[in-house]
Amino acid sequence: MAQLITPAELDDLIRAGAVRVLDVRYRLDRPDGSVEHLEGHVPGAVYVDMETELSQHGRPEDGRHPLPSTKGLQAAAHRWGLRDGDTVVIYDDDRSLGASRAWWLLTRSGVGDVRILDGGLGAWRAAGLPLETGPVVPEPGDVSLAPLAEPVLSIDGAAALAASGVLIDVRAAERYRGEVEPVDPIAGHIPGAVNLPTGAYMDGERFRDAASLRALFATVGVTEDVTAAAYCGSGITAAQAVFAAERAGLRLGIYPGSWSQWSNTPGRPIATGAAPAEVTAGV
């Protein structure tokens, strides 16, 4: 269940000592948010590293941010101080993109109460609530994580879904159209995929309300009886779309290999233009 929490509600939980807070600041142009974390974070928040804790490194054809192993994620969660039964609140400072990846991994690994801070760090500051500086090193936790509770799409599964269901590309429209590609080896999108960028789900730094999100997903054909999934550049920001879908009462899977895997795999067709499959060519 996609749950948001307000700054005031989080402040109450912190004062009661009844929450574990995770700071997942990450941006494509600034993947290491640890410096910003040290300069100011929600009191008690532990910094979570996207590159080493919420993903693992593999070959180029695996994508830039493959999912971590259950063992690796559990070791990271122990470092964060997580214990079975904890309430966990996650935030970042960029449209909950990094926070959603952590939310998705933890909820799908069996952690029952995981929430995202509505509005992120900016909302915390705007509420006039205090920041803490320096590192946070909690006592090691002992949470038990399970293997992911839902299947994720393989590259072949993504290709099949684009033809039989709805595959959403959440990257910026110009990347989807193939006009620019700042990171991956070739520009374009998976043939048949539709575009619904990350910013569409948000009102500034906050998620739109459930009714608005439900109507938004309907514009690309996602309804309760349609099988759908999302992909992005490297598998991180697609989780934001999953959170938004759950907030709207819908289900959305993830293709974690995303465009970074697709564009590094020889023989995969490429579409460009604003239509799902306007022009295609081989990788």
Side-chain angles (χ1 to χ4, degrees):
M1 179 67 180
Q3 295 189 68
L4 293 171
I5 186 171
T6 67
E9 291 168 337
L10 175 56
D11 187 47
D12 287 343
L13 289 178
I14 291 172
R15 292 175 185 275
V19 67
R20 173 61 62 198
V21 186
L22 304 180
D23 180 337
V24 194
R25 272 181 272 187
Y26 167 88
R27 295 173 186 258
L28 183 62
D29 61 345
R30 195 183 71 241
D32 183 357
S34 60
V35 172
E36 288 82 359
H37 170 81
L38 293 174
E39 291 173 347
H41 53 260
V42 171
V46 178
Y47 177 69
V48 175
D49 186 85
M50 180 67 71
E51 300 285 342
T52 63
E53 296 183 309
L54 300 181
S55 58
Q56 61 181 333
H57 295 286
R59 302 166 299 176
E61 57 268 31
D62 295 328
R64 286 196 308 281
H65 293 102
L67 299 178
S69 66
T70 301
K71 180 180 179 180
L73 182 62
Q74 180 167 278
H78 286 181
R79 184 189 74 78
W80 308 333
L82 266 59
R83 297 184 177 279
D84 290 323
D86 276 354
T87 292
V88 182
V89 174
I90 312 172
Y91 73 89
D92 59 41
D93 62 352
D94 185 19
R95 296 165 293 165
S96 295
L97 297 174
S100 293
R101 167 80 163 208
W103 164 84
W104 184 84
L105 283 169
L106 289 176
T107 57
R108 273 51 178 181
S109 297
V111 181
D113 188 3
V114 186
R115 314 176 199 182
I116 288 179
L117 177 60
D118 193 16
L121 186 61
W124 181 269
R125 288 184 172 126
L129 293 166
L131 292 177
E132 181 179 72
T133 60
V136 176
V137 183
E139 290 292 321
D142 59 3
V143 68
S144 298
L145 299 184
L148 291 179
E150 65 184 50
V152 295
L153 286 179
S154 66
I155 191 169
D156 290 332
L161 183 62
S164 64
V166 179
L167 182 64
I168 302 173
D169 183 325
V170 306
R171 295 174 302 156
E174 60 270 21
R175 291 184 72 187
Y176 171 84
R177 293 192 299 264
E179 296 166 3
V180 297
E181 181 45 64
V183 185
D184 294 311
I186 190 168
H189 61 266
I190 297 173
V194 296
N195 188 217
L196 198 60
T198 55
Y201 312 103
M202 311 299 288
D203 181 4
E205 286 290 323
R206 288 184 163 88
F207 282 94
R208 297 186 184 279
D209 64 82
S212 297
L213 289 169
R214 196 174 181 86
L216 179 68
F217 280 110
T219 65
V220 293
V222 178
T223 57
E224 289 181 355
D225 56 352
V226 171
T227 302
Y231 77 91
C232 53
S234 67
I236 291 173
T237 59
Q240 182 219 45
V242 177
F243 187 93
E246 289 198 9
R247 182 163 165 75
L250 302 168
R251 290 188 60 81
L252 204 63
I254 286 184
Y255 166 39
S258 288
W259 188 248
S260 58
Q261 181 183 50
W262 188 278
S263 63
N264 275 288
T265 303
R268 294 291 170 175
I270 302 295
T272 57
E278 189 170 299
V279 180
T280 57
V283 172

PDB file of all heavy atoms in Angstrom, residues 17-34:
ATOM      1  N   GLY A  17      10.177   8.423  19.403  1.00  0.00           N
ATOM      2  CA  GLY A  17      11.164   7.366  19.205  1.00  0.00           C
ATOM      3  C   GLY A  17      10.574   6.135  18.550  1.00  0.00           C
ATOM      4  O   GLY A  17      10.992   5.003  18.828  1.00  0.00           O
ATOM      5  N   ALA A  18       9.599   6.365  17.638  1.00  0.00           N
ATOM      6  CA  ALA A  18       8.843   5.238  17.083  1.00  0.00           C
ATOM      7  C   ALA A  18       9.011   5.106  15.583  1.00  0.00           C
ATOM      8  O   ALA A  18       8.110   4.623  14.890  1.00  0.00           O
ATOM      9  CB  ALA A  18       7.359   5.413  17.415  1.00  0.00           C
ATOM     10  N   VAL A  19      10.161   5.504  15.041  1.00  0.00           N
ATOM     11  CA  VAL A  19      10.338   5.479  13.589  1.00  0.00           C
ATOM     12  C   VAL A  19      11.814   5.361  13.234  1.00  0.00           C
ATOM     13  O   VAL A  19      12.688   5.806  13.998  1.00  0.00           O
ATOM     14  CB  VAL A  19       9.739   6.767  12.961  1.00  0.00           C
ATOM     15  CG1 VAL A  19      10.531   8.006  13.377  1.00  0.00           C
ATOM     16  CG2 VAL A  19       9.661   6.669  11.443  1.00  0.00           C
ATOM     17  N   ARG A  20      12.090   4.760  12.096  1.00  0.00           N
ATOM     18  CA  ARG A  20      13.428   4.768  11.500  1.00  0.00           C
ATOM     19  C   ARG A  20      13.331   5.577  10.223  1.00  0.00           C
ATOM     20  O   ARG A  20      12.505   5.272   9.359  1.00  0.00           O
ATOM     21  CB  ARG A  20      13.894   3.340  11.195  1.00  0.00           C
ATOM     22  CG  ARG A  20      15.207   3.261  10.410  1.00  0.00           C
ATOM     23  CD  ARG A  20      16.368   3.879  11.139  1.00  0.00           C
ATOM     24  NE  ARG A  20      16.646   3.205  12.403  1.00  0.00           N
ATOM     25  CZ  ARG A  20      17.363   3.731  13.378  1.00  0.00           C
ATOM     26  NH1 ARG A  20      17.848   4.957  13.251  1.00  0.00           N
ATOM     27  NH2 ARG A  20      17.576   3.056  14.482  1.00  0.00           N
ATOM     28  N   VAL A  21      14.129   6.627  10.096  1.00  0.00           N
ATOM     29  CA  VAL A  21      14.064   7.531   8.948  1.00  0.00           C
ATOM     30  C   VAL A  21      15.255   7.287   8.030  1.00  0.00           C
ATOM     31  O   VAL A  21      16.399   7.177   8.496  1.00  0.00           O
ATOM     32  CB  VAL A  21      14.049   9.007   9.400  1.00  0.00           C
ATOM     33  CG1 VAL A  21      13.820   9.927   8.198  1.00  0.00           C
ATOM     34  CG2 VAL A  21      12.968   9.238  10.454  1.00  0.00           C
ATOM     35  N   LEU A  22      14.982   7.204   6.727  1.00  0.00           N
ATOM     36  CA  LEU A  22      16.017   6.963   5.726  1.00  0.00           C
ATOM     37  C   LEU A  22      16.082   8.132   4.752  1.00  0.00           C
ATOM     38  O   LEU A  22      15.056   8.571   4.228  1.00  0.00           O
ATOM     39  CB  LEU A  22      15.735   5.668   4.958  1.00  0.00           C
ATOM     40  CG  LEU A  22      15.568   4.398   5.797  1.00  0.00           C
ATOM     41  CD1 LEU A  22      15.305   3.201   4.889  1.00  0.00           C
ATOM     42  CD2 LEU A  22      16.797   4.148   6.667  1.00  0.00           C
ATOM     43  N   ASP A  23      17.281   8.632   4.512  1.00  0.00           N
ATOM     44  CA  ASP A  23      17.542   9.739   3.598  1.00  0.00           C
ATOM     45  C   ASP A  23      18.145   9.145   2.321  1.00  0.00           C
ATOM     46  O   ASP A  23      19.269   8.655   2.325  1.00  0.00           O
ATOM     47  CB  ASP A  23      18.529  10.709   4.259  1.00  0.00           C
ATOM     48  CG  ASP A  23      18.890  11.910   3.395  1.00  0.00           C
ATOM     49  OD1 ASP A  23      18.758  11.837   2.164  1.00  0.00           O
ATOM     50  OD2 ASP A  23      19.351  12.922   3.960  1.00  0.00           O
ATOM     51  N   VAL A  24      17.373   9.188   1.219  1.00  0.00           N
ATOM     52  CA  VAL A  24      17.828   8.568  -0.036  1.00  0.00           C
ATOM     53  C   VAL A  24      18.010   9.650  -1.090  1.00  0.00           C
ATOM     54  O   VAL A  24      17.424   9.591  -2.177  1.00  0.00           O
ATOM     55  CB  VAL A  24      16.831   7.493  -0.519  1.00  0.00           C
ATOM     56  CG1 VAL A  24      17.476   6.626  -1.606  1.00  0.00           C
ATOM     57  CG2 VAL A  24      16.381   6.602   0.630  1.00  0.00           C
ATOM     58  N   ARG A  25      18.821  10.643  -0.791  1.00  0.00           N
ATOM     59  CA  ARG A  25      19.048  11.696  -1.772  1.00  0.00           C
ATOM     60  C   ARG A  25      19.926  11.175  -2.911  1.00  0.00           C
ATOM     61  O   ARG A  25      21.042  10.698  -2.688  1.00  0.00           O
ATOM     62  CB  ARG A  25      19.669  12.918  -1.094  1.00  0.00           C
ATOM     63  CG  ARG A  25      18.602  13.846  -0.568  1.00  0.00           C
ATOM     64  CD  ARG A  25      19.168  15.069   0.093  1.00  0.00           C
ATOM     65  NE  ARG A  25      19.433  14.847   1.508  1.00  0.00           N
ATOM     66  CZ  ARG A  25      19.812  15.800   2.335  1.00  0.00           C
ATOM     67  NH1 ARG A  25      19.984  17.032   1.894  1.00  0.00           N
ATOM     68  NH2 ARG A  25      20.017  15.537   3.615  1.00  0.00           N
ATOM     69  N   TYR A  26      19.388  11.274  -4.117  1.00  0.00           N
ATOM     70  CA  TYR A  26      20.076  10.775  -5.311  1.00  0.00           C
ATOM     71  C   TYR A  26      19.547  11.541  -6.512  1.00  0.00           C
ATOM     72  O   TYR A  26      18.345  11.750  -6.653  1.00  0.00           O
ATOM     73  CB  TYR A  26      19.810   9.279  -5.511  1.00  0.00           C
ATOM     74  CG  TYR A  26      20.232   8.770  -6.875  1.00  0.00           C
ATOM     75  CD1 TYR A  26      21.534   8.324  -7.089  1.00  0.00           C
ATOM     76  CD2 TYR A  26      19.336   8.760  -7.937  1.00  0.00           C
ATOM     77  CE1 TYR A  26      21.927   7.890  -8.344  1.00  0.00           C
ATOM     78  CE2 TYR A  26      19.730   8.324  -9.199  1.00  0.00           C
ATOM     79  CZ  TYR A  26      21.011   7.894  -9.390  1.00  0.00           C
ATOM     80  OH  TYR A  26      21.403   7.468 -10.639  1.00  0.00           O
ATOM     81  N   ARG A  27      20.448  11.953  -7.387  1.00  0.00           N
ATOM     82  CA  ARG A  27      20.072  12.557  -8.667  1.00  0.00           C
ATOM     83  C   ARG A  27      20.971  11.984  -9.752  1.00  0.00           C
ATOM     84  O   ARG A  27      22.110  11.593  -9.480  1.00  0.00           O
ATOM     85  CB  ARG A  27      20.227  14.082  -8.632  1.00  0.00           C
ATOM     86  CG  ARG A  27      19.292  14.799  -7.663  1.00  0.00           C
ATOM     87  CD  ARG A  27      19.634  16.280  -7.582  1.00  0.00           C
ATOM     88  NE  ARG A  27      18.837  16.961  -6.564  1.00  0.00           N
ATOM     89  CZ  ARG A  27      17.778  17.713  -6.819  1.00  0.00           C
ATOM     90  NH1 ARG A  27      17.382  17.889  -8.065  1.00  0.00           N
ATOM     91  NH2 ARG A  27      17.112  18.298  -5.848  1.00  0.00           N
ATOM     92  N   LEU A  28      20.471  11.957 -10.964  1.00  0.00           N
ATOM     93  CA  LEU A  28      21.264  11.436 -12.075  1.00  0.00           C
ATOM     94  C   LEU A  28      22.566  12.198 -12.225  1.00  0.00           C
ATOM     95  O   LEU A  28      23.620  11.607 -12.485  1.00  0.00           O
ATOM     96  CB  LEU A  28      20.447  11.528 -13.376  1.00  0.00           C
ATOM     97  CG  LEU A  28      21.098  10.952 -14.637  1.00  0.00           C
ATOM     98  CD1 LEU A  28      21.354   9.464 -14.479  1.00  0.00           C
ATOM     99  CD2 LEU A  28      20.207  11.215 -15.845  1.00  0.00           C
ATOM    100  N   ASP A  29      22.516  13.528 -12.032  1.00  0.00           N
ATOM    101  CA  ASP A  29      23.722  14.341 -12.173  1.00  0.00           C
ATOM    102  C   ASP A  29      24.522  14.451 -10.875  1.00  0.00           C
ATOM    103  O   ASP A  29      25.589  15.044 -10.851  1.00  0.00           O
ATOM    104  CB  ASP A  29      23.357  15.741 -12.674  1.00  0.00           C
ATOM    105  CG  ASP A  29      22.437  16.487 -11.712  1.00  0.00           C
ATOM    106  OD1 ASP A  29      21.857  15.836 -10.817  1.00  0.00           O
ATOM    107  OD2 ASP A  29      22.300  17.719 -11.854  1.00  0.00           O
ATOM    108  N   ARG A  30      23.986  13.897  -9.769  1.00  0.00           N
ATOM    109  CA  ARG A  30      24.679  13.951  -8.491  1.00  0.00           C
ATOM    110  C   ARG A  30      24.299  12.707  -7.697  1.00  0.00           C
ATOM    111  O   ARG A  30      23.550  12.770  -6.724  1.00  0.00           O
ATOM    112  CB  ARG A  30      24.284  15.224  -7.736  1.00  0.00           C
ATOM    113  CG  ARG A  30      25.205  15.557  -6.556  1.00  0.00           C
ATOM    114  CD  ARG A  30      24.734  16.784  -5.802  1.00  0.00           C
ATOM    115  NE  ARG A  30      23.527  16.554  -5.036  1.00  0.00           N
ATOM    116  CZ  ARG A  30      22.377  17.207  -5.219  1.00  0.00           C
ATOM    117  NH1 ARG A  30      22.263  18.119  -6.156  1.00  0.00           N
ATOM    118  NH2 ARG A  30      21.318  16.937  -4.468  1.00  0.00           N
ATOM    119  N   PRO A  31      24.838  11.544  -8.105  1.00  0.00           N
ATOM    120  CA  PRO A  31      24.405  10.286  -7.487  1.00  0.00           C
ATOM    121  C   PRO A  31      24.763  10.145  -6.012  1.00  0.00           C
ATOM    122  O   PRO A  31      24.092   9.410  -5.290  1.00  0.00           O
ATOM    123  CB  PRO A  31      25.097   9.221  -8.341  1.00  0.00           C
ATOM    124  CG  PRO A  31      26.229   9.922  -9.007  1.00  0.00           C
ATOM    125  CD  PRO A  31      25.781  11.325  -9.216  1.00  0.00           C
ATOM    126  N   ASP A  32      25.806  10.822  -5.559  1.00  0.00           N
ATOM    127  CA  ASP A  32      26.213  10.722  -4.163  1.00  0.00           C
ATOM    128  C   ASP A  32      25.663  11.908  -3.384  1.00  0.00           C
ATOM    129  O   ASP A  32      26.150  13.032  -3.509  1.00  0.00           O
ATOM    130  CB  ASP A  32      27.740  10.682  -4.059  1.00  0.00           C
ATOM    131  CG  ASP A  32      28.238  10.494  -2.632  1.00  0.00           C
ATOM    132  OD1 ASP A  32      27.389  10.443  -1.702  1.00  0.00           O
ATOM    133  OD2 ASP A  32      29.459  10.395  -2.437  1.00  0.00           O
ATOM    134  N   GLY A  33      24.631  11.658  -2.570  1.00  0.00           N
ATOM    135  CA  GLY A  33      24.034  12.733  -1.789  1.00  0.00           C
ATOM    136  C   GLY A  33      24.542  12.802  -0.367  1.00  0.00           C
ATOM    137  O   GLY A  33      23.953  13.489   0.474  1.00  0.00           O
ATOM    138  N   SER A  34      25.648  12.107  -0.086  1.00  0.00           N
ATOM    139  CA  SER A  34      26.114  12.028   1.301  1.00  0.00           C
ATOM    140  C   SER A  34      26.595  13.373   1.840  1.00  0.00           C
ATOM    141  O   SER A  34      26.440  13.653   3.035  1.00  0.00           O
ATOM    142  CB  SER A  34      27.235  10.992   1.425  1.00  0.00           C
ATOM    143  OG  SER A  34      28.343  11.328   0.599  1.00  0.00           O
TER     144      SER A  34
END
